[in-house]
Amino acid sequence: MDSPIVTQLFRQLFRQRPRGCQGHLRTTTTLRSQSSHRLPVTATASHHNGRGYATRPSIDRGMKRNESRWQQRTNILPEDRTDEFEKYPYISADELKQRTERPRKVKMLLRDFIEDSLYNPAYGYFSKQAVIFSPGEPFDFNAMRDEIEFQAAVGRRYTEFEDALDAASETGPDPTRQLWHTPTELFRPFYGEAIARYLVSNYRLTTYPYHDLIVYEAGAGRGTLMLNILDYIRAVDPQVYARTRYHVVEISPALATLQAASLRGHADHVSIVNRSIFDWDRYEPSPCFFLAMEVFDNLAHDGIRYDLATEAPLQGHVLVDADGDLYEFYVHGLDPVAARFFRVRHAATGGAYPRPYPANPLLRRLAARMPFAPNLSRAEYVPTRLMQFFDVLERYFPAHRLVTSDFDALPQAVPGLNAPVVQTRYNRRMVPVTTPLVHQGYFDILFPTDFAIAEAMYRAVTGKLTRVMSHGDFLRRWAYVEDTQTRSGENPMLSHYKNASVMVTV
């Protein structure tokens, strides 16, 4: 039922494209004690391939009869939805897991809305929509002229991959297919071999021969990294391979099935557990490595704005009305998870972390006197779910060593500090939008990681020491970079993902 509706609305969106951007209605309201105040924010949606804000037809309040649902509108004087906010019940992401349809007439934390949008078993982006690109045979980098030729080859294989999916589909081409790639897929097997060298070297230096090489990987995608690591260890170090135990923790049933079907002779060394890492309940006392490659970026964040007069934080909530339309509210007081995040971050960093408002009170007062000045700061997105991930590692994997890589900066992010990129694909084109309040399941919502903050909080929660380095520096140390060098001397594996960092436990 979903796909035809979303396709129809996307088509309407693209027919209505003016020279600039278009947007959808979003109300931002601040709840202060018993009175409500408006935050004059204009919400716009730019056009790449974002998950469209698609709902069933409803009455568009305050709109002209001939106005498109996608026409950009100002929110300087938004409609007051405070009565509905007070009346509707709260719902959490855990409760939403039991639902097969997107909720209506409820309110929730922004953190729970993002979690539901990405991971709901019935309609979540990673559960139902996302398809991971596989280029087929590894690229012959040494035979390529330069990076331009590599980019052209990637484009051709993308087209061939998606053409094959369309040909195999009983319903024909899917204009809303969500297709994305990872460095593991683009640079296989060389990328996975670099990780394998790091694991084997550090294993032999520390716990060999007293313990097995135990590896956990969260969110293993198609299982390519797992296979490249195991293939390398089997070929290069049979002694270590005999003692290798590889455990995958995969939230997506479809991806878990795909991983299990492609073990290539490694079945005796692999265990695949189809569950969220946040539902983990098995204690692992032995030393182990924990891989979380491009996992942090899709962990849910809380939205926070600050009172510019008092610097008090207000927590973001999402209201879903009877028509499925989404509205954003900010409420004084933090829930226990967000409150603990603020305490841990402050203690871990000594209070030295970026803030989305001027530190000088005089500048804040002057800004507040400007016409149409907001009564709150711009949004800050704080990684509360990442803190909970560190809690899982500390509680169930006390002897772990973390290996993680993720984006430290992202272009085309929505407005705000540490703000996400929110995007979808339509007709094989990426469409970013300017708000995370989007039709659940059709948009990738990915956040940059502030590794200075993440490293400090990881150390505070687990008590372990870490090292952070650039993605390129890690690969220069552990990869055979000659394998991915073109004839011109350019190296796509080093030049791509320059906006990524690697953090490891030492």
Side-chain angles (χ1 to χ4, degrees):
M1 295 289 294
D2 250 350
S3 244
I5 295 174
V6 173
T7 301
Q8 181 180 2
L9 288 175
F10 273 138
R11 286 172 180 162
Q12 179 184 4
L13 166 63
F14 276 77
R15 282 200 303 268
Q16 300 290 339
R17 287 184 70 183
R19 185 162 52 98
C21 298
Q22 297 166 316
H24 55 262
L25 180 62
R26 178 169 65 91
T27 298
T28 304
T29 303
T30 306
L31 299 187
R32 298 173 181 266
S33 302
Q34 297 179 356
S35 63
S36 64
H37 301 260
R38 305 292 182 273
L39 178 64
V41 176
T42 301
T44 60
S46 56
H47 292 281
H48 300 213
N49 300 21
R51 298 172 203 164
Y53 178 62
T55 62
R56 66 179 175 82
S58 61
I59 299 173
D60 290 316
R61 306 166 184 82
M63 292 172 55
K64 299 176 182 178
R65 292 183 180 274
N66 62 348
E67 186 180 9
S68 164
R69 285 185 59 81
W70 295 93
Q71 179 64 41
Q72 179 177 334
R73 297 183 288 276
T74 177
N75 281 329
I76 291 180
L77 297 174
E79 184 180 355
D80 189 352
R81 310 305 294 268
T82 307
D83 290 342
E84 289 169 288
F85 188 88
E86 297 291 344
K87 179 175 62 175
Y88 289 165
Y90 269 107
I91 194 167
S92 69
D94 286 338
E95 293 171 306
L96 287 167
K97 289 179 184 177
Q98 313 304 319
R99 297 198 177 194
T100 58
E101 295 183 356
R102 295 167 181 81
R104 296 180 184 229
K105 300 179 71 173
V106 296
K107 60 188 175 186
M108 68 193 83
L109 295 171
L110 178 63
R111 176 181 76 234
D112 289 319
F113 177 81
I114 294 173
E115 181 90 5
D116 182 59
S117 297
L118 295 178
Y119 300 110
N120 184 282
Y123 51 78
Y125 179 82
F126 289 104
S127 304
K128 295 297 180 181
Q129 303 297 334
V131 178
I132 302 176
F133 165 68
S134 174
E137 290 298 316
F139 292 104
D140 186 356
F141 294 93
N142 297 154
M144 293 182 176
R145 182 180 64 256
D146 50 24
E147 286 197 31
I148 295 177
E149 185 174 343
F150 169 68
Q151 294 281 21
V154 171
R156 286 194 301 272
R157 295 204 190 181
Y158 244 94
T159 300
E160 293 167 1
F161 181 83
E162 200 153 12
D163 286 346
L165 292 178
D166 288 341
S169 173
E170 296 179 356
T171 58
D174 180 3
T176 61
R177 178 181 294 116
Q178 304 302 306
L179 183 65
W180 45 274
H181 62 264
T182 66
T184 298
E185 298 292 344
L186 288 185
F187 304 112
R188 68 180 179 90
F190 314 113
Y191 185 86
E193 290 175 354
I195 305 296
R197 289 187 196 97
Y198 175 86
L199 297 176
V200 172
S201 296
N202 282 274
Y203 167 64
R204 281 195 168 274
L205 285 172
T206 54
T207 60
Y208 178 85
Y210 307 105
H211 296 275
D212 289 342
L213 172 57
I214 301 174
V215 181
Y216 285 83
E217 183 184 0
R222 299 176 62 91
T224 302
L225 180 62
M226 169 188 67
L227 293 176
N228 293 161
I229 289 173
L230 292 175
D231 285 347
Y232 177 85
I233 298 175
R234 181 172 59 186
V236 172
D237 199 332
Q239 280 186 318
V240 170
Y241 180 76
R243 305 191 60 176
T244 299
R245 304 291 178 266
Y246 203 107
H247 305 276
V248 172
V249 186
E250 178 57 61
I251 191 172
S252 167
L255 291 177
T257 300
L258 181 63
Q259 294 156 11
S262 58
L263 292 179
R264 292 203 309 244
H266 298 297
D268 293 341
H269 297 262
V270 176
S271 169
I272 298 174
V273 182
N274 182 204
R275 66 166 59 177
S276 168
I277 187 61
F278 298 102
D279 296 329
W280 192 261
D281 58 2
R282 302 179 189 176
Y283 187 76
E284 176 56 80
S286 301
C288 63
F289 292 89
F290 201 103
L291 306 183
M293 314 305 287
E294 294 186 52
V295 170
F296 290 4
D297 58 349
N298 286 123
L299 295 181
H301 286 48
D302 270 296
I304 304 291
R305 292 183 191 259
Y306 297 85
D307 187 313
L308 291 176
T310 66
E311 300 184 55
L314 291 85
Q315 191 167 7
H317 295 65
V318 178
L319 168 74
V320 188
D321 72 6
D323 298 319
D325 292 334
L326 306 172
Y327 299 85
E328 190 172 14
F329 285 76
Y330 283 86
V331 180
H332 271 292
L334 303 175
D335 84 306
V337 174
R340 177 170 173 257
F341 175 89
F342 273 73
R343 292 195 302 270
V344 173
R345 180 176 68 171
H346 188 82
T349 64
Y353 50 86
R355 291 172 172 83
Y357 54 85
N360 190 320
L362 177 61
L363 292 178
R364 294 202 301 272
R365 286 196 294 271
L366 291 175
R369 289 186 171 88
M370 299 295 290
F372 301 109
N375 58 343
L376 297 179
S377 72
R378 65 192 178 112
E380 176 187 12
Y381 296 88
V382 298
T384 40
R385 205 59 164 151
L386 178 59
M387 177 188 69
Q388 293 180 313
F389 173 68
F390 294 157
D391 289 337
V392 172
L393 294 180
E394 190 275 333
R395 180 176 182 182
Y396 293 108
F397 304 90
H400 79 275
R401 298 181 66 177
L402 179 64
V403 182
T404 184
S405 175
D406 229 307
F407 300 106
D408 51 43
L410 289 170
Q412 297 181 315
V414 308
L417 176 62
N418 198 42
V421 170
V422 185
Q423 61 186 12
T424 190
R425 290 180 85 243
Y426 180 70
N427 280 341
R428 305 192 181 189
R429 287 193 298 139
M430 292 307 299
V431 181
V433 297
T434 58
T435 172
L437 272 64
V438 287
H439 190 61
Q440 303 96 311
Y442 280 92
F443 289 76
D444 191 6
I445 305 173
L446 64 158
F447 294 84
T449 298
D450 185 331
F451 275 91
I453 303 298
E455 181 180 34
M457 294 192 66
Y458 173 81
R459 291 180 174 187
V461 171
T462 66
K464 297 178 180 293
L465 298 179
T466 54
R467 179 184 297 120
V468 174
M469 66 202 82
S470 71
H471 195 258
D473 286 345
F474 179 86
L475 291 173
R476 288 184 185 93
R477 180 168 184 178
W478 296 105
Y480 292 158
V481 294
E482 299 83 3
D483 292 333
T484 54
Q485 184 170 294
T486 63
R487 298 199 310 272
S488 68
E490 295 173 315
N491 196 316
M493 190 169 70
L494 299 181
S495 59
H496 284 56
Y497 299 95
K498 284 186 176 180
N499 59 331
S501 293
V502 175
M503 184 172 77
V504 297
T505 306
V506 297

